[in-house]
């Protein structure tokens, strides 16, 4: 559940609940990767995620097959991105 993807506006969108978040300034990642997993959600004047790991979106299906059942996602940008990734994996 604690995964997010980069949006065009430069912020991240969490997958399941579609919260707009930013990588916390104390995180050592110095770029904006396309996909991340995080351990902490920090609420200050903004929504931040901390303890961040860069991931490949394919890993979400390889490791969490049961959790990432796209039928359970509401129609959203996140779901569309995950559907495209799953299509590539199934080829």
């Amino acid at each position: 559940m604690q995964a997010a993807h980069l949006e065009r506006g430069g912020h991240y969108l969490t997958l399941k609940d579609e919260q707009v978040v930013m990588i916390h300034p104390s995180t050592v990642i110095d770029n904006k990767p396309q996909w991340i997993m995080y351990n902490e959600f920090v609420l200050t004047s903004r929504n931040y995620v901390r303890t961040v790991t860069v991931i490949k979106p394919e890993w979400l299906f390889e490791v969490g097959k049961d959790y990432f059942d796209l039928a359970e996602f509401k129609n959203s940008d996140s779901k569309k991105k995950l559907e495209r990734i799953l299509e590539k994996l199934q080829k």
Side-chain angles (χ1 to χ4, degrees):
M1 185 157 104
Q2 293 176 290
H5 60 88
L6 185 63
E7 290 285 296
R8 290 183 191 174
H11 61 272
Y12 287 86
L13 195 62
T14 61
L15 290 184
K16 282 284 186 168
D17 54 4
E18 295 191 309
Q19 292 285 320
V20 174
V21 296
M22 302 292 290
I23 294 177
H24 194 273
S26 67
T27 303
V28 297
I29 296 174
D30 60 355
N31 60 0
K32 287 196 172 187
Q34 291 294 310
W35 290 83
I36 59 172
M37 287 193 87
Y38 58 93
N39 187 48
E40 299 174 81
F41 188 96
V42 181
L43 181 58
T44 60
S45 58
R46 292 178 146 178
N47 294 340
Y48 286 106
V49 291
R50 193 165 49 190
T51 316
V52 174
T53 302
V54 178
I55 63 166
K56 293 182 180 181
E58 297 85 6
W59 296 350
L60 299 172
F61 294 104
E62 293 170 9
V63 176
K65 292 176 189 176
D66 296 331
Y67 185 77
F68 287 96
D69 179 4
L70 294 180
E72 295 180 11
F73 278 71
K74 62 182 179 180
N75 287 332
S76 65
D77 187 45
S78 297
K79 182 176 181 176
K80 290 175 188 170
K81 286 184 179 190
L82 289 171
E83 286 172 336
R84 286 191 297 266
I85 292 161
L86 187 57
E87 285 175 16
K88 288 179 185 177
L89 285 174
Q90 292 174 339
K91 289 183 180 181

